[in-house]
Structure formats: structure tokens, C-alpha cells
Amino acid sequence: MTRNLYLGADLTPAIGAPSLEAFVAANGQILREVSANDFPTRAKGLAQEILEKEPDLVGLQEVALWRTGPPSLAPVLGGEPTANDVRYDYLQLLLEQLNRRKPQYEVVVSQNEFELEAPADENGIPNDGPAAEGIPNAEINGRLTMRDVILARRGAGVQTANPQSANYKTLLEVPILGKSLAIKRGWEATDAKVRGSGWFRFVNTHLESFDPPQLVPSIRAMQAGELVAPGGPAASGPLPVVLVGDLNSDDDTVSPGDQQAYRVLLEAGLVERSTNDPLGCCLNSSLLAEGAGGSVADFDHQVDHVMTDDPAEIALQSSAVTGLTPVNGFWDSDHAGLFSALRFAH
């Protein structure tokens, strides 16, 4: 299974902020959206999706860790992070729901990706106190650490070995208050054996989301190239590969510029092992509460995939899209989930 959890907010207002005051206001909006999108409640629905399908291995993306602390510009300007008060740990909250009745899922490997800490006007009240360090209206720092994770099902004959992870060398850089910030993305991998199967390589990734489509090759296409290059985690080798993740790319349901990364994988010999009926991406609203703007009609393209480089060995038995309706008052994520049952010849 591959499951994007949605980090909880739209980050683009902060990335595009033209001034410090606008930056602080955008960061406040982000923190308010994260709270409004209520991951403790969404984790219940996400866990239900996983527990109903019982995938042996799960690739998770946007497994956010949100922390807060006193307002300071130092981390934005290159200083060490200072916000350490955990507000939402998506991994811990999801595992609590998955393992609530009995231990069922455990972390195989977790990889830290993009991180940013910045001052925020979370309460949205202008001039409500002295400006800390000369930062207008900021009363708090918000710190986002993005992670991607592989989970394995316990007690189901799943064996794993040789966990690995890394960030890509090719990264998108965005301007933050006149400074360039690299958006870290990466991959995680483990060797795995499930009941009667032979050993295979299970790889999870989240390719760049904010890629300018006019770039050729695009950032995400170069990241896909790193995956399948000699020595890469999804390169052809002694073990068959199962690749899952949010590729932000497809060959026919997205705009032409966004097809590049998927075609790199196809040219490397990977083939699809999941359904695109129905399509699973993505809600057009950054708010996930039922009635807040998102609609099932928004799911009009595919970016989440399950693929293999050994179609003779690994056949698709069945596949399903999950999370297409709200539960508990919220959509589980801005993405749907994607599950595939694979049959191994040996």
C-alpha cells in the first residue's frame, strides 16, 4: 500500500511571501490549517483504511512532525532549530491507532525530508503584543519536519532486512525571505520476504511536488533517474523491485510536463502494478473537513503508484483505491490511498 497522509496545510503562501510581515502571516495561516485539519481524527480513518486492507508493507509519505517554540528568525537565517514542543507527530498518532487493539504495524525505516522552522502569527490578531526580535505580530515559531516511512505488518510472515534511506542529490530550491532553501526529498528501501515469496526490494518515495513543468528534464524526472540509476534503490539487480509512492507523475492523466518522471521509470523497465480506476488525486481544498470545499469529483488524475521491474515474477492479483469519502467528519487526506495484492511466481 502507498498512502500520502497530507502534511496538513498549503505551504505555498509562505514560500511566495513578498515580505517578512506577509511571511509571518502566512505561517500563522499554515498553523491554523494544520489544527483545523485535525490529524488525531484523520489518523483514525487512515488506520481504518490500512487495517481493512491488511497490507504487508506500507509506504507512507508526508508523515509530518509539527513542533512549536518561542518566536525567532534565527532558524530561517541558518541557525539551529529551536522549536521542540511536539504538537502533532503524525507517525506516533497513526501507529497508536493501528496498534490500538493489538500490535500490528511497526516502522522498518523512516527518512527525514524537508524541514523549516519559522515565526508565525498563529492567533491572527495584529499588534497584540511586543514584536519579538523585531518580528511583526509573531507570537510563536512553527517547525515542520517532513518524513517518509515504510511500515511492516507484524505476525503475518513478513521478514525485512537491509533497511536503507537517503535524500536525493537533485533538489528543488525555493526562495524564503531572499534565501534559497532546498526542498529535501528522498527514498526508503528494505529487502523483504512475505510468506511464500522470495526476497525482493521494497522501495518507497515521494518525488518533488512543486516542479516547474517547463523544465526538461524536470526536478522529479532527475530524482526518478536517481532511483533507477546503477546502484540506485530501484535499479535492476539481483532482487526484483516493488516501488511504491507518490510520484507526482503519470503517463496519461497529468499534464505533459508532469509525465517526465513516470516515463523515466517506464524506460528503466518498471511496469504498473496498481489500478487507476477510480483515480485518486487530489482534493482541490487545503481544508479537509467535510463540506470545506473538497469533492470526490476532484480526484481526476493519478500520482500514486505501485510498480515492479520484474513483471514475469510479480503479477497483479487485485488493486483498490481507498479513502474516497469522508469519515469522522474529515477526508483522511487530500490523496486517496492505493492498495495492491501481488502474486509472486517464486
Side-chain angles (χ1 to χ4, degrees), residues 8 16 44 56 74 81 87 99 164 214 229 232 250 253 270 273 278 311 320:
K44 297 176 183 178
D56 294 301
R87 180 172 286 188
N99 298 322
Q164 295 180 328
Q214 67 272 19
D250 190 28
T253 68
L270 285 135
R273 283 294 179 262

Side-chain angles (χ1 to χ4, degrees), residues 163-291:
Q164 295 180 328
S165 64
N167 295 123
Y168 290 115
K169 297 175 183 177
T170 307
L171 301 172
L172 177 69
E173 296 198 0
V174 298
I176 299 288
L177 296 181
K179 294 177 64 69
S180 183
L181 176 69
I183 305 297
K184 289 185 179 179
R185 303 277 183 182
W187 54 266
E188 308 77 54
T190 183
D191 296 345
K193 185 177 183 179
V194 179
R195 294 179 293 280
S197 81
W199 285 96
F200 61 98
R201 190 78 168 146
F202 184 81
V203 183
N204 175 52
T205 194
H206 187 187
L207 301 182
E208 181 53 53
S209 300
F210 301 106
D211 207 357
Q214 67 272 19
L215 289 180
V216 180
S218 65
I219 299 293
R220 72 173 69 100
M222 289 188 278
Q223 292 173 348
E226 291 183 41
L227 274 178
V228 296
S236 180
L239 296 181
V241 171
V242 174
L243 170 67
V244 307
D246 177 358
L247 305 181
N248 281 303
S249 187
D250 190 28
D251 62 343
D252 61 356
T253 68
V254 299
S255 61
D258 291 334
Q259 296 173 7
Q260 297 176 56
Y262 190 76
R263 288 177 174 170
V264 168
L265 301 176
L266 293 178
E267 289 167 6
L270 285 135
V271 299
E272 192 68 35
R273 283 294 179 262
S274 58
T275 185
N276 64 358
D277 184 16
L279 297 168
C281 188
C282 286
L283 293 184
N284 293 329
S285 173
S286 61
L287 294 174
L288 302 188
E290 191 170 4

